[in-house]
Amino acid sequence: VLCYACSDSKQTKNQPSAHHLEPLVTDLYTADPSAHVFEGNLYIYPSHDFESGIPEDDLGSHFNMKDYHVYSMESVGEELKDHGVALRVDDVPWAKRQMWAPDAAKKDSTYYLYFPAKDENDIFRIGVATSKSPSGPFHPEAKPIDGSFSIDPAVFKDTDGSYYMYFGGIWGGQLQRWQSGEYIAEDTYPADNDPAISPKVAKLSNDMKQFAELPKDIVILAKDGKPITAGANDKRFFEAAWVHHYKGKYYFSYSTGDTHNIAYAIGDNPYGPFTYAGVILKPVLGWTNHHSIVEYNGKWYLFFHDSSLSEGKTHLRSIKMAELKYNPDGTIQTIDAMVE
Ligand code: FUB
């Protein structure tokens, strides 16, 4: 619950203050919040962290999640409603383990939940499940999306009604194993001076259950117009893609992973290229940083997570939100949740 009863004079009831960021959910660990406005309410689709006892490693095996809950709020500042379990890994025929960051979309009268999980060969794929309600329960397709791979799907609806999926994550997210177009079970990274590994985008089919095209590279340019290099790890893409539209521009935001920022880049169309524009969210408590951005009732919000509720356990996270503000030139004001 957001603190709307604290004594801070700048804070009024039902208006969260950017400098008082409390976990939105306190009875479960939650992470990777994808927020959307459906049916006039804010719906949040997070990962559901729990302690499975798997030791920590560089592949992220300790992020061993097995289901998703869906949350909603009718107005900012209200307690989140937990709609319960929306999808379990045991109910997905092709998925074996590690349900990582999900996203959701609505088309016509159907809601779609997109999620990554490892298949029986320990390869991350992206699945889809459907429901007539934004809160689920969601019914999974028997197979993952054809040609899908890696993690962190984020689905963006363009102004013309087309839907695009952005996805990918390096290290444990396996994107570096797909550089040849086929899965190779060993990690291959570009040299520091070469362009960084690109996140992917694919337009979705009319039924929202397949890619309508082969995934394409998203190119993120440095301010000098050259692709960001693999060695620029304070700016290059790591995981957690998100796209939103603001005043005619497309904002591609993402985590820089081992440097722990949420960064963003701006482009003129859903495919990019996008030009690096700065940091939206500085590192939070815990190794991962993952966010979403949504407009609700005329204000913009950043949803993110940190490990404050678990006192620093990286795989036991809690979702939070803060108001996001733009400068007159369209750049985004940086949020530092560690000090606010
Ligand atoms: O929650 C598991 C993974 O951690 C997500 O897929 C990544 O984006 C990172 O937040």
Side-chain angles (χ1 to χ4, degrees):
V1 198
L2 289 163
C3 170
Y4 51 77
C6 66
S7 57
D8 189 304
S9 60
K10 290 185 198 143
Q11 187 153 5
T12 53
K13 193 170 187 311
N14 288 342
Q15 289 181 338
S17 159
H19 61 272
H20 199 129
L21 306 168
E22 298 295 332
L24 293 168
V25 177
T26 53
D27 62 335
L28 296 177
Y29 291 113
T30 53
D32 310 320
S34 292
H36 292 275
V37 179
F38 293 138
E39 299 178 345
N41 295 334
L42 259 177
Y43 277 84
I44 304 160
Y45 300 84
S47 301
H48 172 197
D49 287 352
F50 80 112
E51 180 56 78
S52 72
I54 302 278
E56 200 164 314
D57 64 21
D58 281 347
L59 295 175
S61 306
H62 46 306
F63 296 99
N64 192 27
M65 297 85 100
K66 59 183 181 183
D67 62 22
Y68 297 110
H69 284 233
V70 176
Y71 294 87
S72 67
M73 64 170 84
E74 284 182 15
S75 63
V76 171
E78 280 194 356
E79 192 166 351
L80 283 195
K81 179 172 182 190
D82 179 356
H83 295 275
V85 176
L87 183 68
R88 290 183 177 84
V89 73
D90 289 347
D91 296 333
V92 182
W94 61 269
K96 294 296 169 235
R97 62 193 181 103
Q98 288 181 285
M99 286 185 128
W100 284 14
D103 193 19
K106 181 188 184 196
K107 183 177 180 186
D108 301 327
S109 57
T110 303
Y111 293 86
Y112 299 84
L113 182 70
Y114 297 95
F115 58 95
K118 280 186 177 164
D119 68 11
E120 61 189 0
N121 299 313
D122 261 358
I123 299 175
F124 268 116
R125 305 283 181 184
I126 296 171
V128 57
T130 56
S131 176
K132 288 296 174 191
S133 164
S135 56
F138 286 88
H139 307 288
E141 296 295 302
K143 293 185 175 171
I145 293 173
D146 286 342
S148 68
F149 54 92
S150 198
I151 60 165
D152 292 1
V155 173
F156 167 72
K157 182 182 182 185
D158 200 3
T159 47
D160 68 356
S162 305
Y163 292 79
Y164 297 85
M165 180 183 289
Y166 299 83
F167 64 95
I170 61 173
W171 291 23
Q174 301 180 340
L175 191 57
Q176 69 280 358
R177 297 183 175 185
W178 290 92
Q179 295 313 292
S180 68
E182 302 286 323
Y183 182 79
I184 295 171
E186 66 184 47
D187 294 337
T188 310
Y189 294 98
D192 278 1
N193 288 335
D194 285 340
I197 294 174
S198 295
K200 304 287 179 184
V201 58
K203 197 172 194 173
L204 291 179
S205 58
N206 282 337
D207 70 1
M208 301 287 278
K209 293 179 180 175
Q210 296 295 338
F211 294 152
E213 60 188 359
L214 287 175
K216 301 177 197 301
D217 285 349
I218 289 286
V219 175
I220 305 172
L221 302 172
K223 285 177 182 165
D224 65 4
K226 295 181 185 154
I228 286 182
T229 57
N233 61 339
D234 60 334
K235 295 187 178 64
R236 63 95 173 84
F237 173 83
F238 187 100
E239 62 187 4
W242 188 261
V243 169
H244 73 279
H245 192 247
Y246 177 73
K247 293 195 173 170
K249 296 284 186 188
Y250 295 81
Y251 288 64
F252 180 82
S253 47
Y254 55 97
S255 170
T256 61
D258 56 341
T259 49
H260 317 290
N261 288 315
I262 298 296
Y264 73 110
I266 300 177
D268 293 320
N269 70 79
Y271 291 108
F274 298 91
T275 300
Y276 181 85
V279 170
I280 296 174
L281 178 64
K282 288 188 175 178
V284 296
L285 182 65
W287 198 94
T288 65
N289 206 348
H290 190 126
H291 69 300
S292 64
I293 292 169
V294 66
E295 184 180 20
Y296 185 53
N297 290 339
K299 288 189 170 184
W300 286 87
Y301 296 96
L302 176 76
F303 284 77
F304 63 102
H305 66 228
D306 69 14
S307 296
S308 54
L309 191 64
S310 68
E311 298 181 338
K313 291 203 178 77
T314 272
H315 63 297
L316 299 178
R317 301 161 291 179
S318 302
I319 59 171
K320 296 186 167 185
M321 68 186 291
E323 192 175 344
L324 179 135
K325 293 188 175 151
Y326 298 88
N327 296 311
D329 65 358
T331 55
I332 293 175
Q333 295 179 12
T334 303
I335 294 171
D336 186 349
M338 298 280 269
V339 299
E340 284 173 346

